[in-house]
Amino acid sequence: MSPGMTLFSVQAILVLSTEDGSRIFAKYFSPPHAAPTGGSTNPYPDTKSQKSFEKGLVEKTAKQTGDIILYDNRIVLYKLESDVMIYLVGAADENEVLLYNTLLAFRDSLHLLFKYAHIQYLASLRLNAHLLISARQSVDKRTIVENYDLVSLAIDEIVDDGIILETDPTIVVQRVSRAPTQDLAVGRIDLSEQGVNNLAQLGKSKIADWLRQGL
């Protein structure tokens, strides 16, 4: 690998309001290894510079009809969703196709995660199957704020320290899970010696089944 090559691709992922340009979610990345010349590797090291960048970005894309621009000597890809704009920022010489696929992975992951969370909520209300299948949940400011943990976890699965890890939204959704909303019925668990042995045997049989299936 030549000295100029790096896996670091994403400089920032932003979710901003289209109404007033306010920040809903923002995560900036710096290369994990400092440059040989020294100094800060993050072009926006503090909140003030980040807010200034975000404000200019919203103004720049407010009247645009595409999904990619060059701003502040950086490639910025963006997607409008309801009342929010999702941005992905990379270096000017970065592969825009790779960045675009990463942006789509994040957007599609949010759609799937929010829909799944909404279905879980409807199921807790004991609604019929037809309503569960037809359930819809949009990616908007309110939903993002209510599911902030899912948004953060999804980004961590897609990008780590600016390095793109995953661009398949279905895999991201499988890895991002939320703890059960209902308390576990501990009283139903057999904690006796025989119960523990039965549980161990069940685990062994499940592992054997997975191995036979090639999982």
Side-chain angles (χ1 to χ4, degrees), residues 14-42:
L14 312 170
V15 181
L16 307 178
S17 171
T18 57
E19 297 175 351
D20 55 8
S22 61
R23 175 190 291 188
I24 302 173
F25 186 95
K27 190 163 188 177
Y28 289 80
F29 303 96
S30 298
H33 302 290
T37 55
S40 175
T41 57
N42 188 347

Side-chain angles (χ1 to χ4, degrees), residues 22 58 82 121 125 167 202:
S22 61
V58 171
S82 186
Y121 170 72
L125 300 179
T167 58
L202 177 62

